Amino acid sequence: AQSVTQLGSHVSVSEGALVLLRCNYSSSVPPYLFWYVQYPNQGLQLLLKYTSAATLVKGINGFEAEFKKSETSFHLTKPSAHMSDAAEYFCAVSRYNNNDMRFGAGTRLTVKP
Amino acid sequence: GAVVSQHPSWVICKSGTSVKIECRSLDFQATTMFWYRQFPKQSLMLMATSNEGSKATYEQGVEKDKFLINHASLTLSTLTVTSAHPEDSSFYICSAPRTGGTGELFFGEGSRLTVL
């Protein structure tokens, strides 16, 4: 069975500050890991994904995440927050040739001016 | 651009009526699609897996007769909420897998259902 845990349901940062959203996974097989962003009343948009290639993954909008097997983590970071980054972020896990994707509870990012 | 499209985006209906939500894959075929339900400020909960040409697979606790799923073609899945009640009000999102075994899903824009 696979699962992800997002630490912190709400993160607030100032504009220009570092963004760090935490995600830990549990999987009995090599995982595929994803970060999605959701704006109000919209579907999910893929930010980035890890599928067993490079452990440091760069995504859209300046976000990146690092897969750390020893820590079973896949934290999302961005060096400098922008007001437009305010949204809900979901970490998710699946595996090769299996589309049964499981989501974390989500982290709401607030960016203060 | 969007690769999975949902319609309608918003729907308001009276209690006791049925509502159909469509999910289409654009420019690719999807033998499998997924339907999720999302309550306010909560995560996505998988409701069912829609399979083209066969019956949908429902998650535990999801009423099959309440949430009818039909995967009529390789590009279309529909979710019908039958005899809707206010507690069925929610945000429904569909998804379709990217081809190639990557485990990635493309998501529709979501459909906000409000039952009066």
Side-chain angles (χ1 to χ4, degrees):
Chain A
Q2 307 161 99
S3 65
V4 288
T5 301
Q6 290 183 242
L7 304 175
S9 60
H10 188 201
V11 171
S12 181
V13 301
S14 297
E15 190 174 20
L18 171 71
V19 175
L20 171 60
L21 305 183
R22 300 178 187 273
C23 173
N24 288 90
Y25 70 90
S26 174
S27 179
S28 57
V29 297
Y32 285 0
L33 294 160
F34 306 84
W35 276 99
Y36 285 89
V37 61
Q38 185 183 34
Y39 297 99
N41 292 309
Q42 294 188 27
L44 274 66
Q45 180 184 6
L46 182 68
L47 279 178
L48 49 80
K49 61 184 177 184
Y50 166 77
T51 56
S52 75
T55 56
L56 181 61
V57 181
K58 294 186 183 297
I60 62 172
N61 301 339
F63 285 94
E64 63 181 37
E66 185 172 8
F67 172 73
K68 291 187 177 180
K69 185 176 180 179
S70 61
E71 298 178 8
T72 61
S73 68
F74 190 58
H75 302 330
L76 181 70
T77 61
K78 181 174 180 177
S80 177
H82 191 273
M83 297 297 290
S84 61
D85 295 327
E88 189 83 20
Y89 291 80
F90 292 98
C91 182
V93 61
S94 68
R95 60 184 190 268
Y96 176 70
N97 264 347
N98 186 309
N99 299 306
D100 185 7
M101 182 175 286
R102 300 292 167 165
F103 291 86
T107 298
R108 179 168 299 276
L109 176 65
T110 301
V111 182
K112 298 175 292 185
Chain B
V3 296
V4 173
S5 179
Q6 266 184 259
H7 178 82
S9 299
W10 299 80
V11 57
I12 301 174
C13 70
K14 294 181 179 180
S15 185
T17 61
S18 295
V19 173
K20 179 184 288 187
I21 301 171
E22 294 185 347
C23 179
R24 294 181 183 275
S25 58
L26 308 178
D27 299 325
F28 73 104
Q29 295 180 337
T31 57
T32 302
M33 291 185 178
F34 302 92
W35 287 95
Y36 294 85
R37 182 173 182 176
Q38 186 180 31
F39 291 103
K41 301 186 186 302
Q42 294 189 27
S43 188
L44 282 72
M45 298 300 296
L46 180 65
M47 297 174 65
T49 302
S50 175
N51 304 299
E52 190 270 337
S54 65
K55 293 182 179 180
T57 305
Y58 290 82
E59 295 297 300
Q60 189 174 6
V62 177
E63 298 177 62
K64 301 178 182 181
D65 296 331
K66 159 70 75 175
F67 300 101
L68 299 180
I69 291 174
N70 183 26
H71 202 135
S73 74
L74 289 171
T75 59
L76 174 64
S77 174
T78 60
L79 169 68
T80 301
V81 183
T82 63
S83 186
H85 288 92
E87 57 266 31
D88 298 324
S89 299
S90 192
F91 194 57
Y92 294 89
I93 306 176
C94 72
S95 69
R98 185 188 187 105
T99 55
T102 64
E104 179 184 345
L105 297 179
F106 295 117
F107 286 86
E109 306 94 329
S111 300
R112 171 74 59 192
L113 170 64
T114 301
V115 184
L116 302 177

